[in-house]
Amino acid sequence: MTDQNSLDKGIPQVFVGTMEDLNPDGPGVYQTTLNNLKSGIRYIDCAEAYESLSEVARAIKDSGVDRKELFVCSKIKGLPLGNYKAVEKRVQEHLSNLGL
């Protein structure tokens, strides 16, 4: 792993975005995420609204990258603000959907 991706130094500066691939002839979210993970990228940006969590989860699993090496940023829609327990539950569900 290169220094730019070391979590010991904070948030990695290079990331892969996982918004749905708008190019029907493109590699798709799964392949793009997998390729980036295999090339050393360790920061993944995703969101429920992107509707690509299953592809991201599969790419993470298939990459063989240890979870401790990953920095995952995500957005969860419709969080019940002010209700810590409900937010915590949604975050755990979201992590589970990503296989994390």
Side-chain angles (χ1 to χ4, degrees):
M1 186 183 327
T2 64
D3 283 344
Q4 75 179 21
N5 289 324
S6 174
L7 294 183
D8 294 337
K9 298 182 189 268
I11 298 171
Q13 296 178 12
V14 179
F15 69 93
V16 58
T18 61
M19 189 172 204
E20 184 177 349
D21 189 352
L22 300 177
N23 178 357
D25 297 323
V29 172
Y30 166 79
Q31 196 61 53
T32 299
T33 304
L34 182 63
N35 291 348
N36 278 278
L37 288 169
K38 287 187 172 192
S39 71
I41 302 297
R42 295 296 183 260
Y43 179 176
I44 301 171
D45 176 63
C46 56
E48 282 181 330
Y50 299 169
E51 299 181 356
S52 60
L53 293 181
S54 62
E55 292 96 343
V56 174
R58 189 165 53 104
I60 290 171
K61 181 180 178 187
D62 291 352
S63 75
V65 174
D66 189 294
R67 170 60 181 107
K68 293 177 184 175
E69 292 184 36
L70 295 175
F71 183 91
V72 179
C73 172
S74 192
K75 283 75 71 188
I76 302 172
K77 61 183 174 182
L79 284 176
L81 299 178
N83 184 337
Y84 175 80
K85 291 290 185 190
V87 171
E88 182 179 43
K89 181 180 180 205
R90 289 287 308 282
V91 169
Q92 291 303 321
E93 288 171 355
H94 195 71
L95 289 170
S96 179
N97 289 341
L98 284 168
L100 305 173

